[in-house]
């Protein structure tokens, strides 16, 4: 049994922490939202108000936070973890953040003899609850080897992506592709309908032809062909458009930094920004089809 300190018990972090608890680890949670901490404590976990005290006797710190700015303040701020951590402490940041911040935090951690991985996830709240998340992991091999035992409990697929920041790079590139492919799939279904082609018929053809992709076969943006897709549930998320936009913006920041040409990534970002401007960014990202149909007001 290990002592785990878990920071950020939101939609994702709480079920991840609960799975560690169920696996027999001792989990101490910290979140600015006390209600979330209470759920962990009620399930048999512990709470802390003083992270720097708690980490003196913990085996691993795991964080699941909203943004790079917050991750930076938690790890590198005045009262940050890195300054106060005991030698060899293992740090796992599973937040989705920019590559630059992930590498900056890692550089500082390594210089203080800490082990660190960036380990963002794919799989959403359902995957977090089921313990089937995919983890994309960046960091030194020795840190990955230590982290794997914990990631295995929270995930079904743990993939080593290379040195620090590479987990975030994989996540950002994957989600840029996902945003683009969802918009492409939505455009194709709209055009098919406008040409008089039935959505199910188009699905039957395209899902077995060269237009096939995950956005079509697992997350189809029209109701009907894929019963589990959010389109059948009034576009309730799922994966909210706001989170897709966050990841697309990270991709565009990364593209600028590396002078990479991503014209479709840029376009996808503007399209999801349109949903945000209209005040509908709480809908699932497959709801972009409604924007294209001019049905979001
Ligand atoms: P969330 O907003 O539900 O949870 C974030 C939690 O962090 C909140 O409970 C908040 O109170 C807490 N927090 C904020 N600042 C803090 C601080 N300084 N110290 C301690 N706690 C603090 O977000 P989420 O949906 O759980 O997402 C977390 C991360 O996972 C994000 O980076 C997101 O992009 C990523 N992610 C989310 C999903 C998803 O489907 N929700 C999927 C993949 C990746």
């Amino acid at each position: 049994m290990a002592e785990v300190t878990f920071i950020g018990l939101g939609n994702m972090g709480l079920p991840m922490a609960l799975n560690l608890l169920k696996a027999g680890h001792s989990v101490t949670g910290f979140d600015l939202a006390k209600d979330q901490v209470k759920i962990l404590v009620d399930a048999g976990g512990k709470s802390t108000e003083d992270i720097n005290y708690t980490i003196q006797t913990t085996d691993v710190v795991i964080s699941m936070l909203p943004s790079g700015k917050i991750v930076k303040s938690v790890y590198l701020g005045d009262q940050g973890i890195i300054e106060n951590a005991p030698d060899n402490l293992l740090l796992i940041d599973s937040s989705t953040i920019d590559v630059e911040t992930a590498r900056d935090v890692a550089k500082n951690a390594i210089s203080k003899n800490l082990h660190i991985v960036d380990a963002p996830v794919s799989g959403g709240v359902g995957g977090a609850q089921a313990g089937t998340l995919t983890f994309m992991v960046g960091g030194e091999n020795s840190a990955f080897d230590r982290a794997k035992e914990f990631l295995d409990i929270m995930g079904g697929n743990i993939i080593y992506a290379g040195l620090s920041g590479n987990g975030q790079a994989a996540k950002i590139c994957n989600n840029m592709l996902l945003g683009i492919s969802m918009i492409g799939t939505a455009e194709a279904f709209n055009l098919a309908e406008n040409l008089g082609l039935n959505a199910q018929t188009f699905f039957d053809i395209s899902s077995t032809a060269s237009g096939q992709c995950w956005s079509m076969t697992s997350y189809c943006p029209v109701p009907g062909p894929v019963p589990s897709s959010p389109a059948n549930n009034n576009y309730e998320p799922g994966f909210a458009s706001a989170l897709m936009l966050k990841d697309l913006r990270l991709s565009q920041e990364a593209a600028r930094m590396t002078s990479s040409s991503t014209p479709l990534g840029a376009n996808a970002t503007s399209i999801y920004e349109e949903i945000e401007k209209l005040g509908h960014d709480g809908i699932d990202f497959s709801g972009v089809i409604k924007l294209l149909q001019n049905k979001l007001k």
Side-chain angles (χ1 to χ4, degrees):
M1 184 190 83
E3 288 288 337
V4 179
T5 300
F6 207 112
I7 305 174
L9 300 166
N11 292 324
M12 295 291 289
L14 181 63
M16 290 163 73
L18 290 172
N19 281 335
L20 291 165
L21 201 59
K22 274 185 223 142
H25 293 301
S26 164
V27 182
T28 303
F30 178 78
D31 194 297
L32 302 178
K34 300 297 162 232
D35 292 0
Q36 295 294 103
V37 180
K38 186 172 180 305
I39 299 173
L40 180 75
V41 171
D42 288 349
K46 292 181 274 186
S47 68
T48 177
E49 289 298 320
D50 186 348
I51 287 282
N52 286 332
Y53 174 76
T54 304
I55 61 174
Q56 302 312 316
T57 52
T58 205
D59 297 298
V60 55
V61 173
I62 303 175
S63 52
M64 194 55 170
L65 294 161
S67 69
K69 200 168 156 204
I70 294 175
V71 168
K72 204 166 192 165
S73 78
V74 165
Y75 283 100
L76 295 177
D78 284 347
Q79 289 302 307
I81 289 170
I82 287 176
E83 187 59 35
N84 295 289
D87 264 9
N88 279 321
L89 182 62
L90 174 62
L91 311 174
I92 300 175
D93 179 40
S94 284
S95 325
T96 301
I97 63 168
D98 59 287
V99 176
E100 198 186 5
T101 298
R103 289 189 175 145
D104 188 23
V105 171
K107 192 178 85 192
N108 279 279
I110 292 164
S111 75
K112 293 269 183 187
N113 291 325
L114 306 175
H115 283 189
I116 184 164
V117 293
D118 50 289
V121 303
S122 174
V125 175
Q129 287 165 344
T132 56
L133 293 168
T134 291
F135 282 89
M136 307 156 219
V137 192
E140 292 180 337
N141 274 304
S142 52
F144 175 71
D145 290 345
R146 280 184 68 192
K148 195 162 178 306
E149 116 176 59
F150 301 103
L151 303 181
D152 274 334
I153 294 165
M154 299 181 284
N157 222 349
I158 319 300
I159 302 168
Y160 182 62
L163 290 180
S164 297
N166 281 14
Q168 298 296 350
K171 167 80 186 175
I172 290 167
C173 294
N174 179 72
N175 279 22
M176 182 179 77
L177 179 56
L178 175 62
I180 293 168
S181 76
M182 180 54 80
I183 296 166
T185 305
E187 285 185 2
F189 272 99
N190 276 344
L191 182 59
E193 190 189 334
N194 292 340
L195 291 168
L197 187 57
N198 172 271
Q200 182 66 51
T201 307
F202 176 60
F203 176 86
D204 293 343
I205 294 167
S206 196
S207 65
T208 54
S210 47
Q212 183 271 340
C213 65
W214 187 91
S215 294
M216 176 177 288
T217 55
S218 296
Y219 222 79
C220 193
V222 294
V226 177
S228 57
S229 79
N232 300 289
N233 190 24
N234 206 20
Y235 299 94
E236 289 288 319
F239 187 56
S241 297
L243 288 173
M244 173 50 80
L245 179 56
K246 172 191 167 183
D247 295 351
L248 284 167
R249 282 177 170 147
L250 289 173
S251 78
Q252 293 311 288
E253 199 179 318
R256 265 191 299 279
M257 274 184 51
T258 54
S259 303
S260 305
S261 171
T262 57
L264 291 183
N267 248 323
T269 309
S270 318
I271 289 171
Y272 280 98
E273 273 170 352
E274 198 57 37
I275 297 181
E276 181 187 53
K277 273 189 218 135
L278 291 168
H280 290 295
D281 59 348
I283 62 168
D284 185 77
F285 83 112
S286 60
V288 70
I289 196 163
K290 309 277 277 182
L291 181 82
L292 300 174
Q293 292 165 339
N294 220 5
K295 287 185 182 157
L296 287 186
K297 303 284 178 207

